[in-house]
Amino acid sequence: IGVTGVQTCALPIFTASIDSTVRLWESNSGCPVAELTGPWDGAPIVGFSSDRKLILASDNKRAQVFDVHSSRPVGTFLGSTVFSPDGRLAVNCGLDASIFRTDGTRHVDADLWLPVVLMRLRGHWGRVDSAAFSPDGRWLVTTDGRGTARIFEAESGVLVSELDGLKWRVQRAKFSPDGRRVLMLGHDTTARVIESEGGRLVSTPSGIGHIHAVIFSPDSQHVLIGRAHTTVQVFEVESGEMVTELSRSPTSNRNLEFSPDGQHLITSDADTARVYATDDWHLVAHLAGDGSAVSIATFSPDGRHTVIVGQGRTAQVYEAKTWRLIANLKGHGAKIWSVSFSPDSQHLVTASADNTARIWDLSPEMRTPEQVARLIRCHVPARFEKADSSIIVPVWPNPTESIEA
């Protein structure tokens, strides 16, 4: 049963697996902290409440709420869940969609948690299929099975604008980084940009081919669309005019990501990742993976490193300034499904189909003796050398895993 998702934060690392479990681990040592099980189909989506006291894990049908400290389930409700950027609000999709506060209320006697519902989302045809918050958390956009999209004020639930599904057939929606625009993706392979407040149509970027990936530039001035097996197109938001096409290679173009400073764009390719400079969209570098189709290409939060993952069991780490390969991460016994950097960019976590998640130290600093002691005690039987209590001697060698420079 493979580990499919991994995420790092100020709390312990958590992993979500296709065996319908969520596990928490100490980030410094990799030691297990807790295991959460729920009524999910496969690996759930996981998030924390704003006060960091609750964990909410959900699939497309239901969500389970857990107490962080005791790991006990304290609440269940129907529908998948989407969190606001600050974790203070959430929306549960489905037939009874609503906006609620994640701090909630608790019945002490029954040890139950009930969400504080701010507003029921009325007016959709059938169930709410998807929801997304603007980066500042002010706006919320939702779509339903009819293709209708609605924009609400997140705090009050007041309807701001509505896009008729009979005319546009909206499938997905995405906010620009400044929150002023919403990109609507339709079933007819077209995209439309509208104003968040008022719903005015701004532009209609168009092209040929099914849309696999979309992203706004960090300055919200451009929209990039990756189309199936054809190209990555760059459009101006205001005019909808295409600026350039970045590639025409046989790839799905599912991976599009900007560097934290917005100066570079990385895309996945048939067997490499391509890096472009955003000042004039020229090609800067090809980053080789393991020779197979690249499935993951992402920057570290500080922008100093890029990690590439193909279809195999290794990951390649590049220095972003020189685009030089600095490490080939080996040790997994099966395909790597996902990766996540720590917020300080000093560690990388990889999750694999070999049922493990591995933590890689990318920092130049050495661990303290106490950290080494904690790490070894967690993973292998060990004893202290009698002559020097600061030296730890493993009883048998650690399982093979390596970082090749």
Side-chain angles (χ1 to χ4, degrees), residues 78 90 117-118 126 130 140 187 216 247 257 325 330 354 389:
L78 298 177
V117 177
L118 300 179
S130 70
L140 171 71
H187 290 274
F216 277 96
S247 67
E257 182 176 320
L325 179 66
K330 294 183 177 182
D354 66 1
S389 60

Side-chain angles (χ1 to χ4, degrees), residues 188-220:
D188 56 357
T189 73
T190 61
R192 295 169 178 85
V193 180
I194 68 168
E195 289 183 345
S196 302
E197 191 170 4
R200 181 183 69 87
L201 178 64
V202 178
S203 61
T204 308
S206 61
I208 300 174
H210 184 71
I211 297 173
H212 272 186
V214 294
I215 188 173
F216 277 96
S217 59
D219 61 5
S220 301

Side-chain angles (χ1 to χ4, degrees), residues 16 47 63 80 115 139 162 193 197 216 253 256 273 321 323 349 370 373:
S80 61
W139 309 106
E162 178 179 351
V193 180
E197 191 170 4
F216 277 96
N253 291 317
L256 302 173
K321 183 177 294 185
W323 310 113
V349 185
E370 292 78 12

